[in-house]
Amino acid sequence: LHRHFERGALSLRAEAFRTRNRGNAVNALDDENSWAATLGARRDLHHDVILIAEAAHIRSDRVDRFRLKAPSTRPSNQFRISLRARW
């Protein structure tokens, strides 16, 4: 989803993905199912200066994480802010 405003924009994105491992050294327990949601914002501060912010939440599920003594489901959050200028 994307929405434009007079001096910027907002966007929302959701994704689902999975990995499947193949080979002799791995098994099906190493496969991973994941999803992510991302919210982004852009603000035009000046005709040559733009502020961009993004927040992402990722959740992955891998059964075989117990080998690492970790929970099978692992959430992760990422935040990014950037200031872009043209000249």
Side-chain angles (χ1 to χ4, degrees):
L1 301 171
H2 192 80
R3 172 92 171 144
H4 286 280
F5 295 99
E6 184 177 336
R7 295 186 60 193
L10 286 174
S11 64
L12 177 64
R13 182 176 70 230
E15 302 171 85
F17 47 95
R18 61 183 172 174
T19 61
R20 297 294 174 252
N21 292 285
R22 307 284 188 257
N24 296 332
V26 295
N27 59 42
L29 296 176
D30 289 315
D31 295 348
E32 191 167 358
N33 296 311
S34 305
W35 64 269
T38 305
L39 174 65
R42 187 191 84 232
R43 174 80 174 168
D44 300 332
L45 301 176
H46 188 266
H47 64 36
D48 287 336
V49 181
I50 300 169
L51 179 68
I52 298 172
E54 187 175 68
H57 176 76
I58 302 106
R59 181 174 293 274
S60 66
D61 184 24
R62 189 171 114 195
V63 175
D64 208 22
R65 280 200 180 109
F66 70 85
R67 283 187 300 185
L68 304 172
K69 296 182 175 43
S72 64
T73 301
R74 179 177 293 168
S76 174
N77 295 303
Q78 298 176 1
F79 300 97
R80 291 179 286 280
I81 296 176
S82 65
L83 187 64
R84 296 183 184 176
R86 294 186 283 195
W87 62 86

